[in-house]
Amino acid sequence: MADPRAAADVPGGTNPVDAFGRPLGSLRISLTDQCNLRCRYCMPEAEYAWLPRRDLLTFDEIVRLAEAFVSLGVDRVRLTGGEPLLRAGAADLVRRLADLTGVADLAMTTNGVLLARHAESLRDAGLRRVTVSLDTLRPDRFRTISQRGTHHEVLAGIAAAAAAGLGGMKIDTVVMRGVNDDELVDLLEFGRTVPAEVRFIEYMDVGGATGWSPKLVYTREEILATLAAHYGPIAAPARTGPAPADRFVLPDGSVFGIVSSTTQPFCASCDRSRLTADGIWLRCLYAMSGMDLRTPLRAGAGPAELRDLIAGVWRQRRDRGAEDRLGTRSPDKVFVSLQSLKRDPHLEMHTRGG
Ligand code: SAM
Ligand code: SF4
Ligand code: SF4
C-alpha cells in the first residue's frame, strides 16, 4: 500500500515518492568505513580496501547534503559507520544536524566501545537516541564474534549512555545459530536492567558477510518460539510505519523487537536510504551501485540542484533488495563475492552502515 505521505508528490508538491509510492523518510549517514571491531558477520576478512581519506565528506558537506534530504521529506537521521565514534568530532556534527529544522529524530548506531567517553558530549550536542550493538553478555564469546577483547568497554558504554540520560536506548543483537542463540533470554533480561529495548536481528547475507550461510540464520519464528517457551505467550501488535523492527510484547508488558530482513523482509514500507562516508547515496541496503553526490557537491552544486538530483533518482527507485533475495539465494554462494568486495568497498556492510 502506498504511504499516505505520497500525497505530497503532486505537481507543485515537494516531497518525492519512489516507483512504489514510498517516500524519502529516513537517512543513515555513515561517518567512516573504519571500525575498531571485526565482527565475523560483517568484517570477517584479514584485510580490507578502505575508502580514500580525501574522498570522505567534511562535516560541512554532510550538513549540506542533509539539508537537501531534509527539504525533501527526510525527518529521521541516523549516524552510523564503520564505527561512527571513530570519526573525530562526531559530537560537533551531531550538534549541527540537531539544529536542522525538520529533523524530528536524530540517532546513532554504535558498537559502544568508545561510548563511555562520548556519551555526555553526544547528549549535550542533541543526540536523541542511541542504539548499541551487543551480541553477547559473555566476554569470551564477544572475543570470538568481534575478534577483539573490548567487551567490558561496550558494557561501560551502555551504562554511561544510560547514566547520561541518552533516551530511547536500543540494543541490537545479530542472532546466529550455534553462536549466541542461547542468550536471547539473558539479553532481554539485561535490556530491562539498562533499561533498553532489545532487538534481535536475523543474520543477513549482505555484502561483506562472506561467512553467511542459511544454516546460521536463527529465524524470527525460532526467536519467538524460544522466547515464548520461557516467558509465555507473546503478543504481536500490528505493524505500524516504516521502522525495520517488528515489535512484540511479553506477558509482563515489556517490549522487544525483531528485524527479520532475511526471512520476512519489509521492503514494501521502506523509506530508508544510505549515504556512505564518501558521499555515495544508496537507495537500498542490497543495491549494487549508488549515486555519487560528492562530485556535484564539490563541483559547486547548490541546494536546488542537489534537491533535483536526489528527487529525480528517488522517483526512479524500484529497489526491494531483501524481498528479491528471498527467491534467489543459493545455500553455497554468498551475495557478493570477495573479489567484488575488494574491487568496490562500497558493497561492504561496514561502508553502507547497516
Ligand atoms: N559499527 C556500528 C555497530 O556495529 O553498531 C555501526 C555500523 S554496523 C554495520 C550497523 C549494524 O549492522 C550493527 O547493528 C550490526 O550488527 C549490523 N550488521 C552488520 N552485518 C550484519 C549482517 N551480516 N547481518 C545482520 N546485521 C548485520
Ligand atoms: Fe561490527 Fe559494526 Fe564494525 Fe561491522 S561496523 S565490524 S557490525 S562493529
Ligand atoms: Fe529497504 Fe532495501 Fe532493506 Fe528492502 S532491502 S528494507 S528496500 S533497504
Side-chain angles (χ1 to χ4, degrees):
M1 190 176 64
D3 190 291
R5 283 173 289 172
D9 198 24
V10 295
T14 52
N15 296 351
V17 296
D18 73 6
F20 299 135
R22 300 169 296 185
L24 253 177
S26 143
L27 181 68
R28 297 177 72 105
I29 302 176
S30 173
L31 300 189
T32 175
D33 56 331
Q34 306 273 329
C35 195
N36 45 5
L37 299 183
R38 288 291 180 275
C39 305
R40 291 185 185 275
Y41 50 76
C42 178
M43 300 186 76
E45 304 302 323
E47 289 182 11
Y48 282 93
W50 304 107
L51 300 178
R53 300 295 95 188
R54 65 178 177 283
D55 288 352
L56 296 195
L57 299 182
T58 64
F59 286 174
D60 281 345
E61 289 171 331
I62 292 175
V63 171
R64 280 167 62 199
L65 286 178
E67 282 171 339
F69 279 100
V70 170
S71 74
L72 291 166
V74 164
D75 62 358
R76 284 156 285 135
V77 174
R78 178 172 291 273
L79 302 179
T80 177
E83 174 44 41
L85 292 176
L86 285 177
R87 180 83 183 250
D92 297 334
L93 178 66
V94 166
R95 190 177 301 281
R96 294 181 63 179
L97 294 173
D99 282 346
L100 291 185
T101 306
V103 177
D105 184 23
L106 179 60
M108 175 181 283
T109 298
T110 168
N111 63 29
V113 173
L114 298 172
L115 188 55
R117 66 184 84 154
H118 294 292
E120 290 190 356
S121 57
L122 290 168
R123 176 206 59 203
D124 293 346
L127 190 73
R128 303 233 188 15
R129 299 192 298 119
V130 69
T131 299
V132 183
S133 300
L134 177 69
D135 301 322
T136 177
L137 295 171
R138 304 185 193 178
D140 55 330
R141 199 173 264 182
F142 180 91
R143 186 183 288 278
T144 305
I145 296 171
S146 73
Q147 308 188 73
R148 295 292 183 272
T150 46
H151 188 249
H152 58 290
E153 291 170 26
V154 179
L155 297 186
I158 291 171
L166 269 174
M169 203 185 324
K170 295 206 167 68
I171 289 176
D172 277 4
T173 301
V174 178
V175 187
M176 289 160 289
R177 187 181 311 284
V179 176
N180 61 348
D181 56 343
D182 56 349
E183 284 193 69
L184 305 189
V185 171
D186 292 348
L187 283 158
L188 273 191
E189 294 301 321
F190 173 74
R192 287 185 207 264
T193 66
V194 175
E197 185 176 316
V198 177
R199 302 190 310 177
F200 298 111
I201 305 174
E202 289 182 346
Y203 187 7
M204 299 168 68
D205 66 337
V206 286
T210 49
W212 187 89
S213 141
K215 293 193 210 89
L216 292 171
V217 180
Y218 200 75
T219 67
R220 169 197 180 107
E221 294 309 323
E222 290 173 299
I223 293 167
L224 286 172
T226 299
L227 293 175
H230 183 84
Y231 290 107
I234 293 172
R239 185 182 183 80
T240 53
D246 276 328
R247 299 177 90 212
F248 298 90
V249 186
L250 296 177
D252 72 355
S254 52
V255 173
F256 67 97
I258 300 182
V259 181
S260 53
S261 320
T262 302
T263 65
Q264 294 184 42
F266 36 82
C267 302
S269 61
C270 175
D271 66 354
R272 269 176 310 288
S273 66
R274 294 165 167 80
L275 187 65
T276 65
D278 62 343
I280 305 300
W281 179 43
L282 298 155
R283 293 174 297 178
C284 177
L285 184 55
Y286 281 91
M288 293 307 284
S289 62
M291 183 192 194
D292 173 9
L293 290 173
R294 181 184 76 249
T295 300
L297 191 64
R298 292 192 175 168
E305 195 177 334
L306 291 172
R307 282 165 47 91
D308 285 351
L309 280 172
I310 294 166
V313 167
W314 189 258
R315 288 193 177 98
Q316 308 295 319
R317 178 185 190 239
R318 306 187 73 83
D319 303 68
R320 308 174 77 112
E323 287 181 2
D324 292 344
R325 293 295 299 144
L326 275 179
T328 49
R329 281 191 182 101
S330 138
D332 48 10
K333 190 162 168 278
V334 292
F335 175 52
V336 182
S337 72
L338 194 50
Q339 297 95 299
S340 303
L341 292 168
K342 299 260 181 245
R343 270 198 306 274
D344 184 1
H346 295 101
L347 296 168
E348 296 274 4
M349 182 71 148
H350 69 268
T351 308
R352 325 195 129 197

